């Protein structure tokens, strides 16, 4: 389906050299948007931007750097404005997952997770919103939360806190930015097969697919298609919401006998 309101719009997608972010860039390019593709890995960013531009005969520019750094975020937004003249869509997708026992978790690990997952998203949306307000153009934001930001999972307290906070950020900003015609929603993926998750667990699909009523894990395209919908005109009356894309994983309640 071709959504309206995507063609000729401009977007910044962070953490997009591979995985879910890359699929979001592909979905946007396919519908005729122009994209700044960010990744902390310069080689990956360059290759991914080239690959996707050629595939869709589109306009995708790499801008490599740490999406958790406020200084870098300013440079990236300046680059987007000098390249495209405007910014319509912001997708702060870059995020890190650090596992660890709560009692052992170090301030260094805590700060790494918070800096990218939360500070990166907050200040990218803040700076882009200022530009959208200046241009009176409005805009749309999609944040990447997680099922881990909705329910408790072992050894993921810090990550879970950041992913839950993003949902609250959307609720607050839907309220604060609506007068500027800036709309903000959240996608909460379940277990999704990416280069990273496959590396962490070679039989990721076999192991994690069992959790879902539909028997399979998510694909990056499942998440990207939901983002595309939320960015489109068709979703313009949806604001401040979180959509779970998890194959029904978290719909399942448990009876005592399920615990055996
Ligand atoms: N994969 C999943 O199962 C899953 C589930 C729920 C939520 N999520 C969320 O979705 C988003 C994307 O997940 P993913 O698994 O595709 O990501 P990923 O871990 O595969 O990373 C994607 C890209 O981000 C880049 N990156 C890492 N640190 C960066 C930084 N500081 N600045 C810029 N780029 C950086 C990496 O180099 C990589 O190319 C994340 O926010 C993640 O928390 C993923």
């Amino acid at each position: 389906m071709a959504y309206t309101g995507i063609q000729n719009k401009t977007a910044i997608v962070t953490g997009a050299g591979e995985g879910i972010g890359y699929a979001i860039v592909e979905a946007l390019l396919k519908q005729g948007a122009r994209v700044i593709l960010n990744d902390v890995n310069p080689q990956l960013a360059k290759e991914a931007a080239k690959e996707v531009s050629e595939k869709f005969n589109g306009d995708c520019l790499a801008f490599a750097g740490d999406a958790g750094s406020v200084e870098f975020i300013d440079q990236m937004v300046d680059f987007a404005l000098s390249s495209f003249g405007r910014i319509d869509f912001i997708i702060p997708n870059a995020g890190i997952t650090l596992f660890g026992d709560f009692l052992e978790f170090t301030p260094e690990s805590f700060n790494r997770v918070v800096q990218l997952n939360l500070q990166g998203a907050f200040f990218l949306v803040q700076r882009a919103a200022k530009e959208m307000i200046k241009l009176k153009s409005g805009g749309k934001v999609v944040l990447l939360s997680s099922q881990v930001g909705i329910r408790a999972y072992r050894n993921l307290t810090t990550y879970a806190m950041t992913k839950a906070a993003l949902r609250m950020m959307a609720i607050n900003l839907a309220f604060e930015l609506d007068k500027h015609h800036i709309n903000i929603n959240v996608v909460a993926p379940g277990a999704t097969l990416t280069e990273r998750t496959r590396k962490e667990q070679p039989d990721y699909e076999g192991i994690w697919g069992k959790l879902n009523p539909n028997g399979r894990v998510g694909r990056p395209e499942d998440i990207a298609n939901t983002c595309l919908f939320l960015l489109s005109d068709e979703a313009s009356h949806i604001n401040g919401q979180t959509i779970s894309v998890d194959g029904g994983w978290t719909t399942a309640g448990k009876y005592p006998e399920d615990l055996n």
Side-chain angles (χ1 to χ4, degrees):
M1 175 187 173
Y3 288 118
T4 54
I6 306 282
Q7 199 174 17
N8 296 324
K9 292 283 172 58
T10 63
I12 296 177
V13 186
T14 65
E18 61 181 29
I20 292 170
Y22 181 78
I24 296 170
V25 174
E26 274 195 309
L28 285 165
L29 266 264
K30 204 173 171 178
Q31 303 267 336
R34 293 173 294 162
V35 180
I36 303 295
L37 182 158
N38 157 264
D39 201 284
V40 73
N41 178 333
Q43 189 64 20
L44 201 57
K46 198 170 137 201
E47 284 168 11
K50 184 170 180 285
E51 186 178 274
V52 80
S53 294
E54 285 172 4
K55 191 167 171 186
F56 298 106
N57 193 22
D59 208 353
C60 178
L61 305 175
F63 199 73
D66 177 3
S69 150
V70 178
E71 198 186 342
F72 173 76
I73 287 167
D74 277 333
Q75 291 164 7
M76 182 165 57
V77 172
D78 289 342
F79 178 71
L81 289 169
S82 64
S83 305
F84 297 145
R86 54 188 286 150
I87 303 168
D88 301 293
F89 302 149
I90 291 294
I91 303 99
N93 162 77
I96 44 169
T97 313
L98 291 186
F99 292 83
D101 186 318
F102 169 69
L103 297 176
E104 308 294 332
F105 215 73
T106 62
E108 291 73 27
S109 296
F110 181 89
N111 287 332
R112 270 188 70 199
V113 177
V114 170
Q115 187 178 329
L116 180 59
N117 298 10
L118 220 44
Q119 173 170 289
F122 184 97
F123 287 102
L124 177 56
V125 175
Q126 184 196 62
R127 173 69 207 280
K130 285 182 187 175
E131 301 303 329
M132 290 166 181
I133 292 166
K134 235 188 271 171
L135 292 168
K136 295 190 180 7
S137 57
K140 292 196 172 182
V141 178
V142 177
L143 304 176
L144 270 292
S145 180
S146 167
Q147 288 308 313
V148 177
I150 298 175
R151 290 170 186 235
Y153 295 92
R154 262 190 307 283
N155 294 328
L156 278 172
T157 302
T158 310
Y159 177 77
M161 286 162 61
T162 62
K163 293 297 175 177
L166 291 173
R167 295 168 54 223
M168 204 60 213
M169 179 175 156
I171 289 170
N172 278 269
L173 294 187
F175 191 69
E176 282 196 37
L177 296 179
D178 187 67
K179 58 181 172 292
H180 301 294
H181 307 291
I182 299 169
N183 160 301
I184 175 162
N185 288 292
V186 184
V187 176
T192 306
L193 185 67
T194 61
E195 289 86 344
R196 172 181 63 86
T197 53
R198 197 186 286 114
K199 220 177 284 160
E200 285 172 1
Q201 208 157 42
D203 187 23
Y204 188 82
E205 169 104 57
I207 293 166
W208 289 86
K210 285 188 200 136
L211 289 169
N212 297 344
N214 70 2
R216 73 166 176 89
V217 289
R219 308 266 182 267
E221 301 73 41
D222 294 316
I223 314 305
N225 288 334
T226 310
C227 292
L228 198 65
F229 168 64
L230 289 171
L231 294 168
S232 73
D233 287 348
E234 283 75 10
S236 57
H237 203 52
I238 304 175
N239 204 0
Q241 302 303 308
T242 297
I243 300 189
S244 287
V245 184
D246 69 348
W249 175 16
T250 50
T251 58
K254 279 194 170 125
Y255 284 114
E257 54 268 32
D258 295 332
L259 299 173
N260 297 323

